[in-house]
Amino acid sequence: MFLAGFSLRTIEKLLKINRKVLSSFLKKEGYDIEAKTGNSGYDKYEKYEKAVHEFLEGKSIRELAKKYGFNRQGFSLHLKDQGIKVKATKPSNGSEETSKKINQAKELYNEGKSLQEIKKEVKLDGTILAHEFKKMGIDTIEEARKYKVNEDIFKAIDTGEKAYWLGFLYADGSVTFENGRYVLELGLKAEDVNHLEKFRKFIDTDATIDDKLVKLKGKEYMAKRVAIHNKKFVQNLIKNGCTPRKSLNLYFPDESILPKEFVNDFIRGYLDGDGNIKRFDRNTYNPQVYVSFTGTEEFLTRLCKWLDVNPNKFENEGNAFRQRFGGNKKAFNILCCLYDRGTVYLDRKKEIFDEWNKYLSQRNSLFK
């Protein structure tokens, strides 16, 4: 609301938030609050409301802008947002200049700049900026906060930790590249929020972890998600094979992306994101464990080749396929291979492996 042109006084009235507290918060977030008789420098909403009535009575936008001292184009956008038709006029040099500034603002956003930084750099009215970003599908309230991120973290996959997180994002990350927007979103079950904290620490970001309501198979549940809006960060992921709509075109990374010494880390990350480890009881005397992976047929074929196991029959899993391996020999050997010397993992899946490892060790000692 603040970026859209509402004054602190108006926000206080609508949301019942003390404006002094809000002003203090905004200053901490890096916003400039230009106080004038208790209002912020963005205090134009009341003027807009008065001007709307006069516009409907026949006065022109130019007359009203001069009378109230606000930006003509900002008020025009306000009218459109209110559902009021505005007669189109021939573009002026001023509107062409605004168009250039809007394009510059989009480029700066794609470079990872915050909305406040963009506003200062392009010197564009906050209402116009908020309106244009809204058309791009960007939530100006959510994206207003500036956060840091190591945008070069995935430039080269040269450590096991980088390989693990690349594999995890291959499985669970959502990369978007639309209308000049570069976004990575990672959403997990609420119970796995600790894993999102690990990811935030790894990429050195203070981007917030937010709640997200997810609908799946007719049911709703609350998930946790973190979103990174940074062009260079996302481009590095795309370069390394983590592409948009990857459920349909996911390929196992070759050695130019993923060195052989880090393949097990990558697969462990992929397993944590889009795989399953589960115990089942074939009979009470010989319980078993199975491990499964979901992905494209090409990806799973290459994965099986690396693990040195013959692919089983491909099971359909929606638009993807699944490979499942059972038994305390084949499945457990796969897990031992993946967890050997591994330092990053999803805790709840690692606990299943540790429990099974302990069980098999105790069972084997009885038959010595």
Side-chain angles (χ1 to χ4, degrees):
M1 292 176 70
F2 178 74
L3 288 176
F6 289 74
S7 70
L8 299 187
R9 189 184 298 278
T10 300
I11 296 174
E12 180 182 48
K13 290 179 181 178
L14 295 175
L15 301 182
K16 310 301 181 185
I17 299 174
N18 184 286
R19 67 176 182 272
K20 291 183 179 179
V21 175
L22 180 59
S23 175
S24 177
F25 171 78
L26 290 170
K27 287 178 181 178
K28 288 181 181 179
E29 295 298 313
Y31 293 95
D32 292 328
I33 307 299
E34 300 171 8
K36 294 180 181 179
T37 63
N39 294 333
S40 77
Y42 296 86
D43 187 13
K44 56 175 83 76
Y45 183 73
E46 288 93 342
K47 294 180 181 179
Y48 279 175
E49 289 300 289
K50 292 178 182 178
V52 166
H53 296 292
E54 295 182 42
F55 176 80
L56 294 175
E57 291 172 358
K59 288 193 176 182
S60 71
I61 292 176
R62 184 184 295 275
E63 288 178 299
L64 295 170
K66 185 175 182 180
K67 177 179 177 180
Y68 290 104
F70 51 60
N71 181 280
R72 295 200 309 272
Q73 290 162 316
F75 180 59
S76 176
L77 293 175
H78 177 78
L79 292 172
K80 291 177 182 178
D81 286 339
Q82 300 298 314
I84 300 171
K85 291 184 179 181
V86 178
K87 185 178 180 181
T89 58
K90 183 179 180 180
S92 64
N93 291 334
S95 62
E96 290 176 3
E97 181 64 26
T98 299
S99 180
K100 291 179 181 179
K101 288 185 177 182
I102 290 170
N103 290 332
Q104 183 187 358
K106 291 177 180 179
E107 291 176 4
L108 292 172
Y109 176 79
N110 291 331
E111 291 173 5
K113 295 288 184 71
S114 70
L115 298 189
Q116 186 66 5
E117 288 177 308
I118 294 169
K119 181 180 179 299
K120 288 181 179 179
E121 188 163 337
V122 301
K123 295 180 175 58
L124 190 63
D125 181 85
T127 306
I128 297 174
L129 189 61
H131 180 85
E132 291 298 323
F133 274 59
K134 184 178 180 181
K135 289 197 298 184
M136 292 168 60
I138 300 170
D139 185 340
T140 55
I141 300 300
E142 177 185 338
E143 301 307 324
R145 182 175 182 271
K146 178 183 177 181
Y147 57 81
K148 65 175 182 175
V149 64
N150 183 350
E151 59 186 18
D152 292 318
I153 192 71
F154 288 111
K155 186 175 182 179
I157 309 304
D158 49 14
T159 69
E161 190 174 14
K162 290 182 182 181
Y164 172 87
W165 285 114
L166 182 67
F168 195 85
L169 294 177
Y170 261 53
D172 259 357
S174 174
V175 170
T176 303
F177 171 38
E178 295 178 347
N179 300 320
R181 297 179 64 217
Y182 292 80
V183 185
L184 167 73
E185 180 175 331
L186 180 59
L188 300 178
K189 296 178 180 178
E191 65 181 293
D192 294 329
V193 66
N194 181 56
H195 209 58
L196 282 180
E197 293 287 2
K198 292 180 185 179
F199 180 67
R200 288 173 72 243
K201 183 177 180 180
F202 167 69
I203 64 174
D204 191 24
T205 184
D206 56 355
T208 57
I209 295 176
D210 303 311
D211 292 330
K212 181 178 182 180
L213 186 64
V214 177
K215 296 181 180 180
L216 185 64
K217 296 180 180 179
K219 296 182 179 180
E220 294 183 347
Y221 66 93
M222 190 61 68
K224 297 290 185 178
R225 48 89 75 170
V226 63
I228 303 299
H229 297 251
N230 184 286
K231 181 177 181 179
K232 192 174 182 181
F233 181 91
V234 174
Q235 283 182 329
N236 282 330
L237 284 175
I238 294 173
K239 180 194 71 175
N240 287 318
C242 191
T243 60
R245 295 178 290 277
K246 54 185 170 48
S247 61
L248 303 175
N249 56 12
L250 187 65
Y251 297 95
F252 199 89
D254 58 32
E255 199 169 351
S256 67
I257 294 174
L258 183 66
K260 288 183 178 180
E261 61 263 38
F262 304 129
V263 174
N264 284 350
D265 298 286
F266 172 85
I267 297 176
R268 186 175 68 257
Y270 190 84
L271 172 67
D272 281 349
D274 225 348
N276 197 6
I277 306 173
K278 191 173 181 180
R279 169 181 173 170
F280 67 96
D281 295 329
R282 181 173 293 170
N283 57 63
T284 56
Y285 302 103
N286 188 31
Q288 303 286 308
V289 65
Y290 79 75
V291 57
S292 65
F293 299 88
T294 301
T296 63
E297 186 172 355
E298 190 278 342
F299 183 92
L300 294 178
T301 300
R302 291 277 306 278
L303 183 147
C304 290
K305 184 177 180 180
W306 173 262
L307 294 175
D308 196 24
V309 294
N310 293 321
N312 294 321
K313 181 181 179 181
F314 284 94
E315 303 174 21
N316 284 101
E317 190 82 5
N319 293 326
F321 296 91
R322 181 171 66 172
Q323 277 288 314
R324 184 168 72 164
F325 306 99
N328 287 332
K329 185 175 181 180
K330 181 184 285 187
F332 194 73
N333 285 345
I334 290 173
L335 294 177
C336 285
C337 176
L338 298 183
Y339 283 114
D340 182 39
R341 294 188 299 275
T343 59
V344 192
Y345 38 75
L346 185 65
D347 292 339
R348 60 182 173 83
K349 290 185 179 179
K350 178 63 161 51
E351 288 170 3
I352 296 174
F353 169 75
D354 289 339
E355 179 185 348
W356 207 253
N357 192 14
K358 181 179 179 181
Y359 162 76
L360 290 179
S361 297
Q362 292 174 342
R363 193 191 71 168
N364 291 339
S365 67
L366 293 175
F367 291 96
K368 283 185 178 179

